[in-house]
Short mmCIF file of all heavy atoms in Angstrom, two decimals:
data_model
loop_
_atom_site.label_atom_id
_atom_site.label_comp_id
_atom_site.label_asym_id
_atom_site.label_seq_id
_atom_site.Cartn_x
_atom_site.Cartn_y
_atom_site.Cartn_z
N SER A 31 -3.11 -28.82 -19.50
CA SER A 31 -2.68 -27.72 -20.45
C SER A 31 -3.87 -27.08 -21.18
O SER A 31 -3.93 -25.89 -21.32
CB SER A 31 -1.74 -28.36 -21.40
OG SER A 31 -1.30 -27.46 -22.34
N LEU A 32 -4.83 -27.86 -21.58
CA LEU A 32 -6.07 -27.38 -22.34
C LEU A 32 -6.80 -26.48 -21.28
O LEU A 32 -7.28 -25.39 -21.71
CB LEU A 32 -6.97 -28.40 -22.73
CG LEU A 32 -8.21 -28.13 -23.40
CD1 LEU A 32 -7.96 -27.21 -24.64
CD2 LEU A 32 -9.05 -29.29 -23.80
N ARG A 33 -6.97 -26.96 -20.06
CA ARG A 33 -7.67 -26.10 -19.17
C ARG A 33 -6.99 -24.78 -18.82
O ARG A 33 -7.68 -23.74 -18.74
CB ARG A 33 -7.91 -26.82 -17.78
CG ARG A 33 -8.83 -28.08 -17.88
CD ARG A 33 -8.78 -28.79 -16.57
NE ARG A 33 -9.63 -30.05 -16.70
CZ ARG A 33 -9.71 -30.97 -15.71
NH1 ARG A 33 -8.95 -30.71 -14.60
NH2 ARG A 33 -10.37 -32.10 -15.85
N LEU A 34 -5.66 -24.83 -18.84
CA LEU A 34 -4.97 -23.66 -18.61
C LEU A 34 -5.12 -22.58 -19.73
O LEU A 34 -5.34 -21.49 -19.50
CB LEU A 34 -3.46 -24.00 -18.38
CG LEU A 34 -2.47 -22.81 -18.08
CD1 LEU A 34 -2.90 -22.05 -16.85
CD2 LEU A 34 -1.02 -23.29 -18.06
N ARG A 35 -5.06 -23.22 -20.96
CA ARG A 35 -5.26 -22.37 -22.12
C ARG A 35 -6.64 -21.74 -22.12
O ARG A 35 -6.81 -20.53 -22.46
CB ARG A 35 -4.96 -23.15 -23.47
CG ARG A 35 -3.54 -23.42 -23.58
CD ARG A 35 -3.30 -23.89 -25.11
NE ARG A 35 -4.01 -25.13 -25.41
CZ ARG A 35 -3.57 -26.36 -25.33
NH1 ARG A 35 -2.22 -26.47 -24.86
NH2 ARG A 35 -4.11 -27.36 -25.58
N VAL A 36 -7.63 -22.48 -21.77
CA VAL A 36 -8.99 -21.94 -21.78
C VAL A 36 -9.05 -20.85 -20.70
O VAL A 36 -9.63 -19.81 -20.87
CB VAL A 36 -10.03 -23.06 -21.43
CG1 VAL A 36 -11.38 -22.45 -21.16
CG2 VAL A 36 -10.13 -24.03 -22.69
N PHE A 37 -8.49 -21.16 -19.51
CA PHE A 37 -8.57 -20.17 -18.49
C PHE A 37 -7.86 -18.95 -18.75
O PHE A 37 -8.36 -17.88 -18.58
CB PHE A 37 -7.81 -20.75 -17.15
CG PHE A 37 -7.73 -19.80 -16.06
CD1 PHE A 37 -8.87 -19.60 -15.21
CD2 PHE A 37 -6.55 -19.21 -15.75
CE1 PHE A 37 -8.76 -18.78 -14.02
CE2 PHE A 37 -6.52 -18.35 -14.56
CZ PHE A 37 -7.58 -18.08 -13.89
N LEU A 38 -6.63 -18.99 -19.35
CA LEU A 38 -5.85 -17.86 -19.91
C LEU A 38 -6.65 -17.04 -20.92
O LEU A 38 -6.61 -15.91 -21.02
CB LEU A 38 -4.52 -18.19 -20.31
CG LEU A 38 -3.62 -18.77 -19.19
CD1 LEU A 38 -2.29 -19.22 -19.89
CD2 LEU A 38 -3.32 -17.74 -18.14
N GLY A 39 -7.27 -17.85 -21.91
CA GLY A 39 -8.02 -17.21 -22.96
C GLY A 39 -9.26 -16.40 -22.36
O GLY A 39 -9.41 -15.27 -22.82
N CYS A 40 -10.00 -17.09 -21.49
CA CYS A 40 -11.09 -16.33 -20.89
C CYS A 40 -10.69 -15.18 -20.08
O CYS A 40 -11.31 -14.06 -20.10
CB CYS A 40 -11.88 -17.35 -19.90
SG CYS A 40 -12.73 -18.62 -20.78
N GLY A 41 -9.48 -15.29 -19.33
CA GLY A 41 -9.01 -14.18 -18.62
C GLY A 41 -8.58 -12.97 -19.50
O GLY A 41 -8.80 -11.81 -19.12
N SER A 42 -7.98 -13.30 -20.63
CA SER A 42 -7.56 -12.36 -21.51
C SER A 42 -8.81 -11.65 -22.17
O SER A 42 -8.72 -10.40 -22.37
CB SER A 42 -6.70 -12.95 -22.70
OG SER A 42 -5.52 -13.52 -22.18
N LEU A 43 -9.83 -12.45 -22.50
CA LEU A 43 -11.00 -11.85 -23.06
C LEU A 43 -11.67 -10.95 -21.96
O LEU A 43 -12.13 -9.73 -22.35
CB LEU A 43 -11.98 -12.92 -23.39
CG LEU A 43 -13.34 -12.46 -23.97
CD1 LEU A 43 -13.20 -11.60 -25.15
CD2 LEU A 43 -14.31 -13.71 -24.23
N LEU A 44 -11.80 -11.44 -20.72
CA LEU A 44 -12.35 -10.57 -19.77
C LEU A 44 -11.63 -9.34 -19.52
O LEU A 44 -12.15 -8.28 -19.38
CB LEU A 44 -12.45 -11.33 -18.31
CG LEU A 44 -13.07 -10.56 -17.17
CD1 LEU A 44 -14.41 -10.12 -17.45
CD2 LEU A 44 -13.01 -11.45 -15.98
N GLY A 45 -10.30 -9.37 -19.48
CA GLY A 45 -9.40 -8.15 -19.32
C GLY A 45 -9.66 -7.18 -20.55
O GLY A 45 -9.66 -5.94 -20.28
N ALA A 46 -9.76 -7.69 -21.71
CA ALA A 46 -9.90 -6.88 -22.91
C ALA A 46 -11.27 -6.07 -22.74
O ALA A 46 -11.43 -4.94 -23.10
CB ALA A 46 -9.92 -7.67 -24.16
N LEU A 47 -12.31 -6.85 -22.30
CA LEU A 47 -13.65 -6.26 -22.15
C LEU A 47 -13.61 -5.18 -21.04
O LEU A 47 -14.25 -4.11 -21.33
CB LEU A 47 -14.64 -7.25 -21.76
CG LEU A 47 -15.06 -8.32 -22.81
CD1 LEU A 47 -15.94 -9.44 -22.19
CD2 LEU A 47 -15.64 -7.72 -24.07
N LEU A 48 -12.94 -5.37 -20.05
CA LEU A 48 -12.84 -4.40 -18.94
C LEU A 48 -12.00 -3.11 -19.45
O LEU A 48 -12.35 -2.03 -19.16
CB LEU A 48 -12.17 -4.97 -17.72
CG LEU A 48 -13.02 -6.00 -16.99
CD1 LEU A 48 -12.30 -6.50 -15.78
CD2 LEU A 48 -14.38 -5.36 -16.46
N VAL A 49 -11.04 -3.39 -20.16
CA VAL A 49 -10.16 -2.27 -20.73
C VAL A 49 -11.11 -1.43 -21.67
O VAL A 49 -11.05 -0.22 -21.75
CB VAL A 49 -8.93 -2.81 -21.46
CG1 VAL A 49 -8.32 -1.59 -22.29
CG2 VAL A 49 -7.96 -3.32 -20.43
N TRP A 50 -11.79 -2.11 -22.51
CA TRP A 50 -12.69 -1.51 -23.41
C TRP A 50 -13.82 -0.71 -22.73
O TRP A 50 -14.10 0.50 -22.94
CB TRP A 50 -13.54 -2.56 -24.21
CG TRP A 50 -14.49 -2.01 -25.27
CD1 TRP A 50 -14.52 -0.77 -25.80
CD2 TRP A 50 -15.60 -2.78 -25.83
NE1 TRP A 50 -15.63 -0.66 -26.71
CE2 TRP A 50 -16.32 -1.84 -26.68
CE3 TRP A 50 -16.13 -4.03 -25.69
CZ2 TRP A 50 -17.39 -2.24 -27.47
CZ3 TRP A 50 -17.25 -4.41 -26.47
CH2 TRP A 50 -17.88 -3.58 -27.31
N ALA A 51 -14.34 -1.20 -21.53
CA ALA A 51 -15.29 -0.41 -20.72
C ALA A 51 -14.58 0.76 -20.24
O ALA A 51 -15.08 1.90 -20.05
CB ALA A 51 -15.87 -1.28 -19.68
N ILE A 52 -13.41 0.59 -19.72
CA ILE A 52 -12.74 1.78 -19.00
C ILE A 52 -12.41 2.85 -20.02
O ILE A 52 -12.57 4.07 -19.76
CB ILE A 52 -11.32 1.24 -18.42
CG1 ILE A 52 -11.63 0.43 -17.14
CG2 ILE A 52 -10.43 2.53 -17.97
CD1 ILE A 52 -10.45 -0.44 -16.64
N VAL A 53 -12.01 2.45 -21.21
CA VAL A 53 -11.74 3.44 -22.23
C VAL A 53 -13.11 4.15 -22.66
O VAL A 53 -13.09 5.39 -22.79
CB VAL A 53 -10.99 2.84 -23.52
CG1 VAL A 53 -11.04 3.83 -24.63
CG2 VAL A 53 -9.72 2.36 -23.13
N ALA A 54 -14.07 3.35 -22.82
CA ALA A 54 -15.42 3.94 -23.20
C ALA A 54 -15.93 4.91 -22.18
O ALA A 54 -16.53 5.97 -22.51
CB ALA A 54 -16.43 2.79 -23.43
N ARG A 55 -15.69 4.59 -20.84
CA ARG A 55 -16.13 5.48 -19.83
C ARG A 55 -15.29 6.83 -19.85
O ARG A 55 -15.85 7.85 -19.52
CB ARG A 55 -15.97 4.76 -18.44
CG ARG A 55 -16.96 3.72 -18.24
CD ARG A 55 -16.76 2.95 -17.01
NE ARG A 55 -16.72 3.75 -15.80
CZ ARG A 55 -17.75 4.23 -15.16
NH1 ARG A 55 -18.95 3.85 -15.58
NH2 ARG A 55 -17.66 4.95 -14.05
N SER A 56 -14.05 6.70 -20.07
CA SER A 56 -13.17 7.87 -20.10
C SER A 56 -13.54 8.80 -21.26
O SER A 56 -13.25 10.02 -21.10
CB SER A 56 -11.74 7.38 -20.26
OG SER A 56 -11.43 6.95 -21.44
N ILE A 57 -14.01 8.32 -22.31
CA ILE A 57 -14.31 9.23 -23.52
C ILE A 57 -15.83 9.47 -23.74
O ILE A 57 -16.21 10.15 -24.58
CB ILE A 57 -13.79 8.61 -24.79
CG1 ILE A 57 -14.48 7.27 -25.19
CG2 ILE A 57 -12.28 8.41 -24.67
CD1 ILE A 57 -14.04 6.71 -26.44
N ALA A 58 -16.65 9.01 -22.72
CA ALA A 58 -18.09 9.16 -22.86
C ALA A 58 -18.37 10.74 -22.69
O ALA A 58 -17.81 11.33 -21.88
CB ALA A 58 -18.80 8.41 -21.72
N PRO A 59 -19.15 11.24 -23.61
CA PRO A 59 -19.42 12.67 -23.51
C PRO A 59 -20.38 13.05 -22.42
O PRO A 59 -21.25 12.20 -22.02
CB PRO A 59 -20.19 12.95 -24.93
CG PRO A 59 -20.83 11.66 -25.22
CD PRO A 59 -19.88 10.60 -24.76
N MET A 60 -20.15 14.08 -21.73
CA MET A 60 -20.95 14.53 -20.59
C MET A 60 -22.07 15.51 -21.09
O MET A 60 -22.78 16.01 -20.20
CB MET A 60 -20.06 15.23 -19.55
CG MET A 60 -19.16 14.18 -18.84
SD MET A 60 -19.96 13.10 -17.88
CE MET A 60 -20.01 11.56 -18.89
N ALA A 61 -22.17 15.78 -22.28
CA ALA A 61 -23.29 16.64 -22.79
C ALA A 61 -23.31 16.52 -24.34
O ALA A 61 -22.37 16.19 -25.00
CB ALA A 61 -23.06 18.15 -22.42
N ASN A 62 -24.46 16.85 -24.86
CA ASN A 62 -24.63 16.95 -26.34
C ASN A 62 -25.12 18.38 -26.68
O ASN A 62 -25.60 18.47 -27.80
CB ASN A 62 -25.51 15.89 -26.96
CG ASN A 62 -26.90 16.04 -26.61
OD1 ASN A 62 -27.23 16.87 -25.69
ND2 ASN A 62 -27.81 15.25 -27.19
N SER A 63 -25.05 19.19 -25.73
CA SER A 63 -25.62 20.54 -25.92
C SER A 63 -24.76 21.56 -25.13
O SER A 63 -24.23 21.21 -24.03
CB SER A 63 -27.09 20.65 -25.55
OG SER A 63 -27.55 21.89 -25.47
N THR A 64 -24.68 22.86 -25.51
CA THR A 64 -24.00 23.82 -24.79
C THR A 64 -24.90 24.81 -23.92
O THR A 64 -24.49 25.72 -23.37
CB THR A 64 -23.19 24.66 -25.75
OG1 THR A 64 -24.08 25.31 -26.68
CG2 THR A 64 -22.09 23.95 -26.48
N ARG A 65 -26.24 24.42 -24.05
CA ARG A 65 -27.27 25.24 -23.31
C ARG A 65 -27.00 25.19 -21.77
O ARG A 65 -26.43 24.15 -21.24
CB ARG A 65 -28.63 24.87 -23.71
CG ARG A 65 -29.05 23.48 -23.34
CD ARG A 65 -30.47 23.16 -23.84
NE ARG A 65 -31.49 24.03 -23.37
CZ ARG A 65 -32.65 24.27 -23.97
NH1 ARG A 65 -32.89 23.65 -25.17
NH2 ARG A 65 -33.48 25.17 -23.47
N LYS A 66 -27.46 26.22 -21.11
CA LYS A 66 -27.28 26.29 -19.63
C LYS A 66 -28.52 26.11 -18.82
O LYS A 66 -28.44 25.75 -17.65
CB LYS A 66 -26.70 27.67 -19.29
CG LYS A 66 -25.40 28.07 -19.99
CD LYS A 66 -24.32 27.13 -19.70
CE LYS A 66 -22.96 27.61 -20.37
NZ LYS A 66 -21.87 26.55 -20.06
#
Side-chain angles (χ1 to χ4, degrees):
S31 177
L32 177 60
R33 292 176 186 174
L34 180 60
R35 289 197 295 270
V36 170
F37 177 78
L38 292 176
C40 291
S42 299
L43 178 60
L44 178 60
L47 292 175
L48 291 178
V49 169
W50 181 22
I52 291 170
V53 172
R55 288 172 60 79
S56 69
I57 64 175
M60 289 294 104
N62 70 350
S63 171
T64 59
R65 63 186 301 158
K66 302 300 181 183

